[in-house]
Structure formats: structure tokens, C-alpha cells
Amino acid sequence: MSRDAIYTSEIHSNGFTFDDKVASVFADMIGRSVPGYGQTLQMVELLAHQYAQHGSNLYDLGCSLGAATMALSRGASGKSCSIIGVDNSPAMVERCQEMLKEEAVTICCQDILETDIKNGSVVVLNFVLQFVDKNERLNLLRRIYQGLNPGGVLILSEKIAFEDADENLRQIELHEAFKRAQGYSDMEISRKRTALEDVLIPETLQAHHARLKQAGFSSSHTWFQCFNFASMIAVK
Ligand code: GEK
């Protein structure tokens, strides 16, 4: 796995994008940047095992290099499901298709706002909604809800914000301490923070649960949280 050193030397004037440079180090980058990422993937597999319906479609929206796509595939094995990963970064999709070419999964280069979701039993948005325009988030969740079969689930993992400003700051500091412990320097952390401004827009857990309800989901709860990263499950 190539080590992420993108923010060691250069100042990146433009905002963060999922280009070839990012795709080439992405597995290392996300593992060292998102506390609980590995556990989230393990639980996507377990949740897929629990909720995948025989003969249904399972979607990994914003699949990057397909880590959660493969967790879905393992979790649903033996249930004749179609596993579909979607991402709109050509650099990510190219690598993902190459890495998973022997696997029984379909990887598409497409904007998830345009993905046709049907006969779904498990949909994953693993740290992706945070990059979608805020005005489009409810529509996307509505379309996911409509494409799910009764009893189907959405697994939604996000970087989160806190209403209380002091709490928000404390959680950001803890996340940055996590990144330092993973070997990132203060300079890399600060440059990445600047690059993600206006690109990654976190919301509070309350806002997420309210939107899930508005989209139609009958229940939702937070099953995981580590500092300012959390994962929710919503049931149709
Ligand atoms: C994982 N889920 O390893 N349409 C399609 N793809 C998009 C869109 C969009 N509108 N917006 C963002 N993406 C993965 C990790 S990374 C999370 C997901 C992170 C894609 C984007 O191209 C990138 O590959 C991914 O969402 C976000 O479990 O980098 O923090």
C-alpha cells in the first residue's frame, strides 16, 4: 500500500479532489485519517449478512477503491445478490475496476445523484454524503429510500459536527491527535484541513437523523461513533 505523503511538501491552492494522486494512496490515506474506518468495514460486512435479501441489489455509493463493496460482497455471499459500486472519480473507478476484476461485482463511473436504485436491500454511503451538495442530500436519500425493498437498510457513515462550539472544537482536536498518532505532521494536518474546507461539509447527528426521517425511513440509529466520525443505520 503506498503511503500518503500528498501534503508533506506542496501547498495545494485548489480544494481537495479525488484525482489520480489521491487514488494512488487512498487506502493508506483513509485508514490513517478516519478513526474506526476498519471497524466500519467489518460491520458493513456483518450488516450485509444480516440484511441482504436473496436476489436483491446491494449498492456501495461513492465506492472509491471498493473496500465497502467487497465487505458487501462477503456479507451477502450465497444470496445471489448483485453488488454494485458507484463513484464519479475516473481515477478511483479505473483502479477499483482493475483491483476487483476477478470479483463478482460491478463498478460504475457515475454521479451517485444519477444512479438508478431498485430492488435494493442494503445501500452503503460510507463517508460520501459529506461531499454531496447540501441541497441535494435529501433528494438522494429519498431516491435511496424509494429504491429499497421493505426491510432494506441504508448504512450512512459520516464525519460529523457538534452543535456546541466547544464540543465541536474538542472533537476536532481529538481527531487531529488521532492523525498525529497515525504519523501525519502538524503541517500535513493543517494543509489537508484547508484543502477540505468547502469540499467536505459535516452536519450534526441530529440533522442526519431528521433528514433520514424526512426521506421516509421508519427508524434510524447511530451504531458507531469515534470522535467526530459516526455511522448510522436507517431501516425502510
Ligand atoms: C470507502 N466509501 O472506502 N458521485 C459519485 N461519487 C462521489 C460523489 C458523487 N456525487 N461525491 C463524492 N464521491 C469509501 C470511501 S471517499 C471518503 C469514500 C473520503 C466519491 C469520491 O469520488 C470518493 O471516491 C468518495 O466518494 C469519498 O468506504 O475520502 O473521506
Side-chain angles (χ1 to χ4, degrees):
M1 192 194 303
S2 306
R3 192 166 171 87
D4 169 25
I6 291 179
Y7 291 95
T8 47
S9 51
E10 288 170 58
I11 304 273
H12 297 246
S13 50
N14 297 326
F16 185 85
T17 54
F18 292 98
D19 57 13
D20 198 52
K21 219 174 188 180
V22 168
S24 70
V25 296
F26 186 73
D28 177 70
M29 173 187 279
I30 193 159
R32 291 198 294 131
S33 303
V34 175
Y37 174 70
Q39 195 173 6
T40 309
L41 292 177
Q42 278 176 13
M43 293 304 138
V44 166
E45 180 175 338
L46 184 142
L47 292 166
H49 185 74
Q50 187 78 2
Y51 289 103
Q53 299 168 359
H54 199 89
S56 65
N57 297 327
L58 276 52
Y59 297 87
D60 179 15
L61 302 179
C63 62
S64 298
L65 300 182
T69 317
M70 288 312 299
L72 285 174
S73 175
R74 287 189 297 272
S77 87
K79 289 192 178 166
S80 307
C81 293
S82 295
I83 317 291
I84 301 140
V86 182
D87 203 289
N88 67 350
S89 153
M92 287 288 190
V93 169
E94 209 174 291
R95 274 170 197 274
C96 185
Q97 284 173 336
E98 176 58 26
M99 286 164 64
L100 305 188
K101 64 181 177 211
E102 309 291 339
E103 306 290 341
V105 300
T106 305
I107 304 296
C108 314
C109 192
Q110 187 185 50
D111 193 314
I112 57 172
L113 299 175
E114 280 159 22
T115 303
D116 185 25
I117 295 161
K118 52 179 190 255
N119 185 26
S121 59
V122 183
V123 176
V124 171
L125 277 170
N126 211 30
F127 307 107
V128 177
L129 194 65
Q130 59 201 21
F131 294 108
V132 172
D133 188 311
K134 249 178 147 177
N135 298 321
E136 298 290 347
R137 294 181 185 181
L138 178 59
N139 276 341
L140 174 60
L141 295 194
R142 279 196 169 126
R143 289 188 33 257
I144 292 171
Y145 176 80
Q146 281 156 12
L148 279 170
N149 298 331
V153 296
L154 167 65
I155 303 165
L156 173 62
S157 311
E158 287 279 287
K159 183 174 191 179
I160 55 168
F162 295 78
E163 253 157 45
D164 181 83
D166 291 340
E167 187 59 29
N168 202 48
L169 190 59
R170 194 170 16 253
Q171 297 293 337
I172 289 170
E173 284 169 357
L174 286 168
H175 176 222
E176 294 188 350
F178 170 84
K179 291 189 72 168
R180 271 193 296 280
Q182 298 296 313
Y184 284 113
S185 67
D186 287 342
M187 179 58 81
E188 287 175 284
I189 293 170
S190 135
R191 285 175 176 167
K192 178 89 176 274
R193 194 193 312 122
T194 305
L196 282 173
E197 252 165 44
D198 305 328
V199 175
L200 189 170
I201 312 290
E203 293 179 275
T204 62
L205 280 173
Q206 293 89 320
H208 283 298
H209 286 293
R211 186 185 288 119
L212 288 165
K213 192 170 182 192
Q214 214 184 337
F217 288 93
S218 61
S219 79
S220 70
H221 71 266
T222 305
W223 65 268
F224 177 79
Q225 186 180 340
C226 181
F227 307 140
N228 48 353
F229 289 82
S231 190
M232 294 151 266
I233 182 165
V235 183
K236 177 161 178 175

